[in-house]
Amino acid sequence: MATVTLTGPQVRAAVSMPDAIDAVRAALLDLDGGLFEQPTRTVLGAGRFLVMAAHHRPTGSTIVKSLSLNFDRAPAVVGAVTWTDTRHTDQLVADAASITALRTGAIVGVATDLLAPAEARRMVLIGAGGQAADQVRAVHAVRPLRTLTVVNRDLDKAKHLIAALNAELGGISETTAVGSGPAAEEALADAEIVCCATSTATPLFTADMLPERVHVNAIGAYRPDMRELPSELLADATVLVDQREAALEESGEILHAIAAGLVGESDLVELGAALRTGVPQPRRRTVFKAVGIAVQDWAIARLLAAKTLPGWEEAR
């Protein structure tokens, strides 16, 4: 019996963003097909500790992720993802921060590929923290960007992110870092894709700041007391979620909009179902709201297991 341990850089070296997007897309289809057991996420210490698990029946494999969250430290996410399966005695233990950022970016890539206009090339990213870079990597993988604006209260942090992404990705002809205020509103008014990756408790913008046709991803808020999006936007958009049960328990945006009578539970479309059957009655504005589910972590861990565990082969 062997335990393979992977650091954050090793996870990054093993899994590309396009591969992560494909893996998460396949996992969501399996989730919609009833091939996973996925208990509700355990939340401890007022949301500072999370424990998530998923079991994939066809491969006899399971992941468990445990982590702590503290947005006043760097990195904000610290923990481990453990992979085991019933056919082998070897196991994998990998850095949770890198897997979490990678899989969160990947699901945004899946949603953007499904929902954003094929010609969309202008993106606004709000937030420059640990999840931010993978939002850009994922969107750029499915909608090659011409324009990227990063909005962040700490302008130096936004500029640093822009510089790093320019060096890594290339091909984005116009990149700009702005703080909040008129410059941010001007960028939003011209956006085709908006990604929100913050820990705010209040909406980042009002619905009337956005163009009539836009796709919005929101991944930062994962508790009922957190909210990146205004309820009026959800009322005027086709709303997809990673999983309805999780969103109804953990998404402040969804819960607030339902309490205000602007959105009903039946209005929420799961991303896996939309991948399988299409988006029902899409509007000119689309929203993807994710709180994070364990099958995403399983998807990345499966790729890692296939590359690092001796003799492991996926059984489908």
Side-chain angles (χ1 to χ4, degrees), residues 12 16-22 24-25 28 97-113 123 125 130-142 195-197 215 217 219 271 288 290 292 296-297 300:
R12 292 290 184 173
S16 70
M17 182 56 75
D19 285 348
I21 290 171
D22 289 344
V24 168
R25 183 186 290 112
L28 290 170
S98 56
I99 289 179
T100 299
L102 185 57
R103 58 83 144 159
T104 304
I107 199 170
V108 162
V110 173
T112 301
D113 196 28
M123 173 178 171
L125 168 66
Q131 303 290 326
D134 282 301
Q135 300 295 294
V136 179
R137 293 180 182 119
V139 171
H140 191 54
V142 299
C195 288
C196 305
H215 172 63
N217 300 299
I219 59 92
L271 181 54
F288 173 59
Q296 297 168 248
D297 301 291
I300 306 303

Side-chain angles (χ1 to χ4, degrees), residues 160-177:
H160 179 77
L161 176 60
I162 285 284
L165 289 170
N166 278 332
E168 175 189 342
L169 298 177
I172 305 177
S173 58
E174 182 180 348
T175 55
T176 309

Side-chain angles (χ1 to χ4, degrees), residues 283-297:
R283 301 181 183 180
R284 291 179 62 81
R285 287 178 171 180
T286 55
V287 170
F288 173 59
K289 172 59 200 171
V291 294
I293 52 177
V295 299
Q296 297 168 248
D297 301 291

Side-chain angles (χ1 to χ4, degrees), residues 17-304:
M17 182 56 75
D19 285 348
I21 290 171
D22 289 344
V24 168
R25 183 186 290 112
L28 290 170
L29 286 167
D30 278 3
L31 177 65
D32 184 65
L35 301 183
F36 277 99
E37 295 176 37
Q38 181 180 252
T40 303
R41 174 162 58 193
T42 299
V43 180
L44 305 170
R48 293 173 296 172
F49 300 92
L50 305 177
V51 180
M52 306 164 67
H55 170 64
H56 188 239
R57 296 187 186 94
T59 57
S61 58
T62 293
I63 66 98
V64 177
K65 179 169 80 170
S66 60
L67 55 82
S68 66
L69 290 164
N70 183 349
F71 294 104
D72 294 324
R73 73 182 180 198
V77 176
V78 175
V81 175
T82 301
W83 163 284
T84 57
D85 71 80
T86 54
R87 294 175 292 119
H88 302 90
T89 58
D90 297 335
Q91 64 178 347
L92 171 72
V93 180
D95 172 62
S98 56
I99 289 179
T100 299
L102 185 57
R103 58 83 144 159
T104 304
I107 199 170
V108 162
V110 173
T112 301
D113 196 28
L114 180 68
L115 297 170
E119 69 278 7
R121 297 293 182 266
R122 298 190 301 274
M123 173 178 171
V124 173
L125 168 66
I126 305 179
Q131 303 290 326
D134 282 301
Q135 300 295 294
V136 179
R137 293 180 182 119
V139 171
H140 191 54
V142 299
R143 295 291 186 274
L145 296 169
R146 286 196 300 266
T147 301
L148 170 66
T149 302
V150 177
V151 180
N152 199 66
R153 288 177 297 180
D154 184 338
L155 189 56
D156 287 339
K157 195 171 183 180
K159 290 179 178 178
H160 179 77
L161 176 60
I162 285 284
L165 289 170
N166 278 332
E168 175 189 342
L169 298 177
I172 305 177
S173 58
E174 182 180 348
T175 55
T176 309
V178 303
S180 56
E185 294 182 20
E186 182 179 348
L188 285 170
D190 195 42
E192 293 170 314
I193 300 168
V194 177
C195 288
C196 305
T198 74
S199 57
T200 185
T202 57
L204 296 166
F205 47 79
T206 58
D208 59 8
M209 292 181 185
L210 299 174
E212 291 185 3
R213 187 182 189 192
V214 66
H215 172 63
V216 180
N217 300 299
I219 59 92
Y222 64 95
R223 298 194 313 255
D225 61 339
M226 301 170 72
R227 189 157 64 106
E228 294 183 297
L229 305 180
S231 296
E232 292 75 17
L233 172 61
L234 302 186
D236 188 39
T238 298
V239 181
L240 271 68
V241 295
D242 42 7
Q243 187 183 42
R244 185 179 290 107
E245 180 183 3
L248 291 172
E249 183 164 327
E250 298 177 334
S251 170
E253 291 99 339
I254 299 297
L255 293 172
H256 191 277
I258 289 175
L262 298 176
V263 173
E265 293 185 16
S266 61
D267 295 323
L268 307 178
V269 180
E270 292 189 341
L271 181 54
L275 289 169
R276 186 178 300 279
T277 62
V279 182
Q281 299 181 331
R283 301 181 183 180
R284 291 179 62 81
R285 287 178 171 180
T286 55
V287 170
F288 173 59
K289 172 59 200 171
V291 294
I293 52 177
V295 299
Q296 297 168 248
D297 301 291
W298 176 90
I300 306 303
R302 181 189 65 80
L303 294 178
L304 294 170

